[in-house]
Every structure is written in C-alpha cells, then in structure tokens.
Amino acid sequence: MTPLEIHQFPYDIDDNYGVLLHAPDTGETACIDCGITQTYFEALAEKGWQLSHLFITHHHFDHVNGVLDLKAETGCEVIGPSYKAAGTIQGIDRYVKDGERFAFAGHEVQVLHTPGHTMDLLCYYLPGPGLIFVGDTLFAMGCGKAFEGTPQMIWESLKKLHALPPDTLIYCSHEYTQENAAFALSVDPENSDLQQRSREVDALRAQDKPTVPFTLATELATNPFLRANDAGIRRQLGMQTAAEVDVFVKIRELRG
Ligand code: ZN
Ligand code: FE
C-alpha cells in the first residue's frame, strides 16, 4: 500500500488548521472538519485531489460551518459523532462511536470518543501509519477547555491518547502553541525539554511555519496536561501527594 499523503493548511476563524488525507493508490481523499468551505476547495484544487470522505471531530462552528456546502459540491461521505452535545451537526451520513473501526482507502481508522471540551468530541486514529486527528482534545503543550464536560472528563479522555504509541503523529485543530508554551513554562519552569521546545516553537512562528503536527513523545515530555505525575510540576504547585486527576484539574484551572 502506498503511504498516505497529508496536506495541512491554515484557515482563519480561530487559528485553525484543516487537513487533507490522500491515498494515491485509490485516489480517495478525506478531510478533517470544515470551517470555511472556500479554503478547503482551494486546498483540494491546489493538490488536484477529489474529496471522498469528511471526518467530523465535534459540533463547534469553526469545525463544521462548511460541511453542507462541501458535501453538496463533492458528494463526499460525511462521518461524524453519534453523541449528543450542546449543538447538532448537519449532513452526517454515518454516525460513529467510541471503539468503532472503519476503513479509509484500505487503512483502518479507529474512533476514540474524548469528551470534555464538547460531549461529542471524537479523535480519528490510523494505527497503520501512526496518525491521529484529535480536533480540540489536545493541543501542542495544551488541551481543550471544558465547555460541556468537566476537567475530570478531559483527564479520562487524555488517558486514551496517553496509551497510544509514543511515535504517534498528532494533528490538532488550532495553532495555540506559543501561548500554551508560555503557560506550560509557568507550571513546569525547570523542564529543559520544554524550554528547548518553546525556543523551537518561537523560531517556527517567527517564520510563519506551523508547529503542528507533533509526536505524542514530544507531548509526554513537555505538555503539563499529560504530566500530572511529574515531580517538578507537583512541587511547583505544592501538590506533591495529590491524586493525578487533582493535579490535572488544578493545571486546567490555572490555564483559564
Ligand atoms: Zn472546539
Ligand atoms: Fe476549535
């Protein structure tokens, strides 16, 4: 099987990223979410790819606003969450839930339900190439805000990502990395991996380059939301003997 090709592009609702996933051997192309139809059309035209599938992560406007137009224009199959949330998503052809698997161009896709930010939030994991599309579940050195669920729920959701192979490549939906790095340093100031990454991120952003995707291993070393067990963070917060979930909740609270 020929490797999948990936094309990531920014779109300007809230520093969003869209992604196209293309299988050269079958010609199939999937995209993750669609906030602005025009940007997705341009990305497809630029690559010369025909859209066949659309995977939706959650109901927020910046992720689904363009879904119906994109579907009408391309006839793509829309796959999205079967979970109830504070908003509904129009145009879904196939509803999926946690643990479900389906094939995209011969590649297995696993659905992970990661509620908290919203109650319908899904991640799409491709164990073959080792890729995951996480929407607003996790960001580089950050995680989504608990708009609908509780921080405790997000903690449970992040455990599912924690369990993936460390070399998994993570695509998240927003370029929030620089502000996340600044916050991460405030709770984990002695972490030299974090200091180093923060400098790398500044250099990338100074050249207007994306900081997404990134590996799970990088997150495990630098993302405070995945490091509630870290002695340095615990010392910084005065929570040396607290339960991991309580340290996480405290970090989520401090982040605002
Ligand atoms: Zn969102
Ligand atoms: Fe978002």
Side-chain angles (χ1 to χ4, degrees):
M1 215 181 299
T2 334
L4 294 168
E5 291 175 31
I6 300 176
H7 176 57
Q8 177 181 259
F9 51 94
Y11 63 92
D12 195 16
I13 296 181
D14 185 14
D15 293 324
N16 290 76
Y17 286 121
V19 190
L20 301 177
L21 195 58
H22 178 71
D25 43 1
T26 68
E28 286 163 285
T29 302
C31 70
I32 316 303
D33 294 335
C34 181
I36 301 180
T37 324
Q38 190 54 33
T39 315
Y40 280 70
F41 285 147
E42 284 165 11
L44 287 161
E46 184 191 327
K47 302 304 287 185
W49 296 344
Q50 304 280 337
L51 194 71
S52 56
H53 298 76
L54 198 168
F55 306 159
I56 299 177
T57 62
H58 66 299
H59 70 84
H60 278 161
F61 174 86
D62 59 314
H63 298 257
V64 299
N65 187 44
V67 168
L68 286 180
D69 287 344
L70 197 60
K71 183 181 174 178
E73 187 68 29
T74 63
C76 66
E77 183 187 14
V78 180
I79 295 156
S82 63
Y83 298 94
K84 280 212 162 42
T88 51
I89 304 168
Q90 288 187 292
I92 297 179
D93 299 302
R94 176 170 179 177
Y95 291 89
V96 292
K97 58 182 191 308
D98 192 54
E100 210 167 314
R101 290 149 200 251
F102 63 91
F104 165 70
H107 296 264
E108 181 180 297
V109 181
Q110 294 180 7
V111 179
L112 275 68
H113 184 215
T114 52
H117 174 70
T118 61
M119 293 310 289
D120 60 351
L121 188 52
L122 298 183
C123 299
Y124 295 92
Y125 173 49
L126 284 77
L131 303 170
I132 188 164
F133 302 94
V134 300
D136 294 355
T137 305
L138 182 84
F139 301 119
M141 293 174 274
C143 74
K145 284 186 184 156
F147 285 122
E148 295 176 20
T150 61
Q152 286 81 357
M153 204 178 276
I154 294 184
W155 169 248
E156 290 303 317
S157 291
L158 290 180
K159 278 190 194 169
K160 295 185 183 177
L161 302 187
H162 224 285
L164 298 174
D167 60 352
T168 303
L169 199 57
I170 301 176
Y171 285 82
C172 68
S173 295
H174 294 272
E175 178 63 60
Y176 293 155
T177 311
Q178 265 183 312
E179 50 181 295
N180 286 341
F183 171 76
L185 283 166
S186 76
V187 292
D188 197 8
E190 315 271 271
N191 181 341
S192 57
D193 291 333
L194 174 57
Q195 293 162 359
Q196 166 78 18
R197 188 180 185 192
S198 172
R199 285 192 293 270
E200 287 166 8
V201 159
D202 286 344
L204 285 170
R205 295 310 294 153
Q207 301 168 66
D208 214 23
K209 288 185 179 155
T211 63
V212 180
F214 41 85
T215 64
L216 176 60
T218 302
E219 289 309 300
L220 293 173
T222 58
N223 187 330
F225 295 100
L226 296 178
R227 293 166 54 74
N229 213 8
D230 179 73
I233 293 180
R234 286 169 167 264
R235 217 179 311 115
Q236 183 70 19
L237 300 177
M239 297 181 80
Q240 284 89 333
T241 59
E244 270 185 89
V245 60
D246 294 333
V247 177
F248 172 83
V249 171
K250 181 69 183 172
I251 297 170
R252 187 56 274 177
E253 207 176 277
L254 289 168
R255 178 67 176 89

